[in-house]
Amino acid sequence: MSDKSLFFRKANNNDVVTIVQMLSDDPLGAKRERFENPLPTCYQNAFKSILEDPNNELMVASTDSDIAGFFQMTFIPYLTYQGRWRALIEGVRVNKKYRGQGIGKKLLHWAIQRAKDKNCHLLQLTTDKLRPDAIRFYESLGFVASHEGMKFHFD
């Protein structure tokens, strides 16, 4: 796929079904997502919140016909690093039919440039320890496992 056949844009309401399908399209996502027809309203509610928050962007990489990949970026103000902002990237996914074509690398390069354009001092991400291929991929792009991430689930 050439760079000219892939363009980046903010997600719209018509994209939500495809995005949720892609989120649920692996062993880990299948355990936590509910891809049903019709889509549960919780996804549209979350999407509306993302759209209304100026510090959140749900970005899709599109071909002329469909979504090749997507991710969410959140821009976070901090007091550390002299009050500089950081960016957080989450939910990076590549459509199965586009895997192995460099789409993931294009997604991350775009995200890195977006964080720079927003004058962030760093871009951080998390990935599940059960995704060793993803960990190697992020490391190949220069991401460093510098911290131990932890979660506290409420349900």
Side-chain angles (χ1 to χ4, degrees):
M1 170 175 296
S2 71
D3 287 342
K4 292 179 182 176
S5 62
L6 189 69
F7 61 95
F8 288 83
R9 61 175 174 77
K10 289 186 178 180
N12 61 51
N13 282 320
N14 295 330
D15 299 325
V16 176
V17 170
T18 302
I19 289 169
V20 174
Q21 181 180 24
M22 290 171 63
L23 284 169
S24 65
D25 195 22
D26 68 43
L28 295 177
K31 293 178 184 176
R32 60 182 173 231
E33 305 305 336
R34 286 180 44 212
F35 182 65
E36 303 167 354
N37 187 8
L39 202 60
T41 57
C42 58
Y43 292 107
Q44 285 296 341
N45 294 340
F47 181 67
K48 182 178 183 287
S49 294
I50 292 166
L51 284 181
E52 292 173 352
D53 184 342
N55 292 320
N56 270 288
E57 297 177 353
L58 186 58
M59 302 301 301
V60 298
S62 294
T63 67
D64 288 334
S65 58
D66 55 7
I67 296 174
F70 74 91
F71 59 88
Q72 181 174 340
M73 283 187 81
T74 304
F75 301 99
I76 309 164
Y78 273 84
L79 289 176
T80 60
Y81 289 93
Q82 302 169 40
R84 293 181 68 195
W85 288 61
R86 66 181 66 193
L88 172 68
I89 187 170
E90 290 284 335
V92 179
R93 296 292 189 279
V94 174
N95 187 320
K96 276 187 176 181
K97 71 181 184 179
Y98 293 103
R99 290 185 187 154
Q101 299 180 37
I103 301 297
K105 185 180 271 190
K106 290 175 185 175
L107 290 171
L108 270 292
H109 284 167
W110 194 97
I112 290 166
Q113 188 58 53
R114 179 72 175 132
K116 287 179 182 179
D117 291 347
K118 294 280 282 187
N119 201 30
C120 294
H121 75 96
L122 67 84
L123 172 61
Q124 62 191 39
L125 60 80
T126 61
T127 190
D128 198 292
K129 291 179 180 183
L130 298 175
R131 298 184 190 274
D133 292 339
I135 292 168
R136 281 190 297 277
F137 169 70
Y138 294 128
E139 289 173 341
S140 77
L141 294 173
F143 286 84
V144 176
S146 61
H147 291 68
E148 185 71 25
M150 302 173 95
K151 293 181 180 180
F152 188 98
H153 282 271
F154 293 104
D155 42 26

